[in-house]
Amino acid sequence: MKHHLRLWTALFAMLALVAASCGDAEEEAEVAEPTTTAAAPEPEPEPEPEMADPGTPGNIPDPGTAAGRFDGVEVVVAGPAGQLDYMKDKAAEWAAETGATVRVDEIPFGELNDKVLAALSTDTFIADIINIGSNLGGDLMGGGFMAAAPEWAQERADWEGILPIFRSNQLSFGGVAYGMPWDGDVLMYYWRADAFEAHADAYEAATGNALRPAESWSEYAAIAKFFTENDWSGQDEGYGLVELPMRNNQGWNGFMTRAAGYAKAPNDPGFFFDPETMEPRINNPGFVRALEDWGAVIEYGPPGMLNFGWIENALSFVGGLAAQDIQWGDIGPMSKSPDSVVEGAVGYGPAPGADEYWDPVAEEWASGDGPNKAPFLGFGGWFNLVPATSNHLAAAFDLASFLGSPAVLAEAAVTAGTGVNPGTAATLDVDLWVSAGWPEDEAKAYTDAIRASLDHPNAVFDMRLPGFPEYKDALELAVSEALSGQHSAQDALDEAADKWNEITDRLGRDEQLRIYREALGLTG
Amino acid sequence: MLALSIFPLIFSLGLTFTNVNLFRRTPLRFVGLENWARIFSDEALLETLINTVIFVGGGVAIQYALGLALAVALNQGLREQRLMRVLFLLPMMVSPIAVGFIIGRMVFSEGFGPINDMLDALGLPAVAWVTSPGVAKWTIILVDTWQWTPLMMLLILVGLQGIPGEPIQAARVDGASEWQIFRHIVFPLLLPVSITAILIRALEAFKIIDIIRVVTGGGPGRATESVTAYVYNVGAKQGDLAYAASAAYVLLFVVIGVSFLALYVMRRVQARYE
Amino acid sequence: MKGRLITRAFLLAAAFVTFFPLYWILITSFKTQLDIVVNPTYLPWADFMPTLEGWKWLLTEARADVIRAITNSLIVSGGSAVIATMLGAAAGYGLTRFQYRWRFWRNEDIAFWFISQRMLPPVAIVLAFLLMFRWLSLLDTQVGLTIAYTGFAIPFTVWIMRDAFAQVPLELEESAGVDGASAAGIFFRISLPLALPGVVGSMLFAFVFAWNEYLFALMLTFQEATTVPLLLASRITSFGTHWDQLSALTLTNLIPAAILGIMLERFLIRNRTEGSLK
């Protein structure tokens, strides 16, 4: 043991020495490592000639449209495994026309953001085009990692045909457009139209109310209770609902979809924070009641639902286990896939609203005409970005704008497994869906539900702030603790709000406030 | 090779005194002990440390007991033992990602997993494998045990080969029971190998992450989050690399402390036999 | 005989626990997504119709990727296992046969120092590797991953080999020395063969470590050097998990490892007569 004691002291002595001299040592390391890295970012990175200067579009010359214009160029596309398969096929068409070659690197979905961030922040080349979600996209654009989109690329992607909410919240940052379109995302409400029809009388007899698709979360809960308690699915088991509560999965989106109706007041632009003070609102009575009400309906879901992610949720619904579902637009095409038993039996609508909403200005519960709805654009959609480290900026934007062109997006939207949810004029066209084999009324119901959500004046776009992953983690933790009964909703959300304040202060309250206001379209 | 192992250590230690954040290209600044000061008020770190100690303590103890039993059972000259030795090694060769998804997420699933289904068939109540904070910890331990008991078995099996046959035969001639032989001859002789096996497994178990991230994502609440998963969340997901490195060093200190203690205790046990 | 019965019963129970999940992986590879999520199903044809979709994907669409990933995994895991075990054997032998002393550092300390390097959560050092490897142009290469994994495995192989050599009786070496064998001769002809189970155990350990490693493979490779765990994880897509493909790939990935296990198993058991006749 004596030996160990000596080692112990030696270890500590060494650590102390290193700690004491650390400043010098690290500065030397910085000299030895001249590249701009996260560990040693230079205060003012010198603009290298081939790098695009972020924020000044137009310095990438228009390559024109001549065939063979990128002979011998290799463009690398990186993104989440899965939807890249489709992109790969489309990129091959582009490559054949332009003479370029395209390499596609799949990154596991769960670690996509981590890997992209690690590579970009160390200036390691990762790809010429990155297919990424809106949550991280904001940080990447705001962090100066991305090249601004030239106007010719915007034109080819039919910029005006993209819904404004995506143009400003997804593809741009600080008023500068960087991204090329791919996906538009909003969480919606799905129900089993066939079961609703078959059990309308029984429901009315049991509850005294007519059975209709839920307009409010209280109706939604009553319907869920009814279907859980009654055998309706024709299978061994049938449940009233299926949602997305899992931590480190989609818990954030699941909760915000519900909370928006309770806490997004139509008369106030702010949702997550007070847009004047950056004080979190997530522990105000609106959010607390949302969480309490949510906790009360979890029992109407399939067993183990607290651990359900995207796939368990989607398959439970198209597998016929649940009467109602809160999900992204994918349920539409998925209900037509071979995995589905619910083809033609799905109803589509915007997410339900709350009977009363919390008015954060007057600090009281309020209500308008009917339930207060606030569709939540959770995740905010996939889109394509071109890193400033790309060696072939023109080719990258050429390909990205081709992938974001109306023709490609329209085909992608009606194909399952592409990641493309409708969010542009071309993809919300009823004729497109009819030509893909949908019955006209269903096509109309589907696109109408999406359009109604996206165009809703009270719609909430997902948070796009520096530190989003931290805010998200703190909130998902609180939600998960409350849903599993470890804390009350109020206590859990109070704790999360403290954490949010801590994060905001650490990142700089004024700067965070400025970015939040900008995202809400507030100036000054 | 030396540089390869030392540079990352120094690098990450250096990080703990900086403000490095993957998301922001702010100028590098030395913040002194700011990150270290945050450690002391970080309840999450404490909670994940406790979780980790439970995973390591519970998991490694079970794995050692099972691994020892399997190794001894497979060293008795049974006809089928050669086949079984290979087959029992298989679980550790399955990638933890697949183990997490197929076994953790599917077999232990409360709705569509076979375990609850079988319990139900036997008339037993369903178990909230992943949604109850208390049970979820044990689910993680069970999955980890399934995967890593083979490693224990392997290392102990190797150790059994080095035990000389003479004392065992002599004891047998003297009429000692198999249990007495195991207790007084085999087990003491296996102690050095056992110490190595336990230490190796414990060191890996302290860094448990893949299974947790797949099976529960650290939930419900923070019930199954390990320090390594926490460090990963803070460093890679949230980009706060400087603080993540500091938290990592806390784990390093704890592990060094625990292994010293464990080595000391085990050496004392060993000394008693010698 | 009663002892044997108990042993067999125990092994049978252990076998069930071990194989049920493997069986589950096997049948999952033949299930549709719906057969998986709606209810547990146990027997093909009896309660679900098997489909070959997962295997079809593996053998057609993904064949090139699968072959590349398995090749990379074999090279990287095999390479690092062999190198780490060789270096581990050298260091382990030294630690048991010679007393080192440098200032206040002694054998025990050195052995502990070796292993303490592996205590830091990997995410804390992965960025350092990213920088280092970029500087050395080792990103996305098999050599790079092999070097990294060798470095990770060495602490463990040193410990395993140290124990293995400690069990080799010194008298055997001494008597060989008296007979006039050189130091190298003693090591290769006497000590190493007697420590063969340790060598095999250490190789298996290092192999499995590299075979399963995920985080470093994720961060340090892009396409050319991607290993199987990455390909497995990529079945967890933006559209959820392709369980059938994941299962088929997992089983495919198990085959090389199982073959390795079968090849090495015989060396795990030391031939005792041979050892004592020497």
Side-chain angles (χ1 to χ4, degrees), chain B residues 4-5 7 76 80 82 85 92 98 101 106 112 117 146 151 159 161-162 196 207 231 241 252 267, chain C residues 4 8 17-18 24 37 42 108 117-118 123 127 132 147 163 167 205 208 212 236 241 265 268-269:
Chain B
L4 207 65
S5 61
F7 171 71
Q76 297 190 340
E80 62 272 30
R82 291 200 54 187
R85 264 185 224 132
M92 73 174 180
F101 258 95
M106 279 178 62
F112 52 86
D117 196 48
W146 182 81
L151 178 69
Q161 308 313 310
T196 302
K207 294 183 294 177
V231 168
L241 205 66
L252 178 69
R267 291 255 152 79
Chain C
R4 294 229 148 171
R8 283 217 161 89
V17 173
T18 305
W24 202 255
V37 166
Y42 301 86
E108 294 291 289
Q117 298 175 67
R118 291 290 295 130
V123 66
L127 213 73
M132 237 173 9
I147 292 176
D163 284 352
Q167 284 185 331
F205 173 84
V208 163
N212 288 342
I236 296 138
T241 312
E265 183 270 342
L268 269 180
I269 304 304

Side-chain angles (χ1 to χ4, degrees), chain A residues 8 11-12 15, chain B residues 13 36 248-258:
Chain A
W8 227 175
L11 209 68
F12 265 121
L15 286 178
Chain B
L13 185 66
W36 290 96
Y249 263 89
V250 171
L251 181 69
L252 178 69
F253 294 145
V254 170
V255 175
I256 290 181
V258 170

Side-chain angles (χ1 to χ4, degrees), chain A residues 48-55 59-60 74-79 103 105 107 112-113 115-132 136-137 139-150 171 177-180 383-400 403, chain B residues 25, chain C residues 222:
Chain A
E48 290 170 42
E50 75 272 18
M51 260 173 59
D53 187 11
N59 57 358
I60 303 164
E74 189 192 48
V75 180
V76 181
V77 181
R103 189 182 105 185
D105 288 359
I107 302 172
L112 171 68
N113 287 2
K115 172 153 184 171
V116 167
L117 191 58
L120 288 175
S121 62
T122 55
D123 274 352
T124 304
F125 174 79
I126 178 162
D128 298 297
I129 295 178
I130 302 177
N131 187 247
I132 197 107
L136 185 67
D139 265 333
L140 294 184
M141 293 185 270
F145 297 109
M146 294 298 153
L171 303 173
Y178 297 86
M180 289 284 112
F383 67 119
N384 289 319
L385 280 170
V386 176
T389 47
S390 163
N391 299 319
H392 310 291
L393 288 170
F397 272 111
D398 200 76
L399 173 55
L403 292 172
Chain B
R25 307 197 131 184
Chain C
F222 296 95

Side-chain angles (χ1 to χ4, degrees), chain B residues 179-233:
Chain B
W179 168 249
Q180 283 169 327
I181 291 173
F182 174 75
R183 174 79 179 69
H184 295 288
I185 300 174
V186 177
F187 185 70
L189 285 171
L190 270 181
L191 272 175
V193 173
S194 298
I195 291 172
T196 302
I198 289 174
L199 197 68
I200 286 178
R201 186 71 265 281
L203 286 187
E204 286 297 294
F206 264 111
K207 294 183 294 177
I208 182 167
I209 176 166
D210 286 341
I211 289 176
I212 290 173
R213 289 193 38 230
V214 172
V215 178
T216 60
R222 223 187 263 292
T224 57
E225 191 164 332
S226 68
V227 177
T228 306
Y230 178 65
V231 168
Y232 188 85
N233 271 348

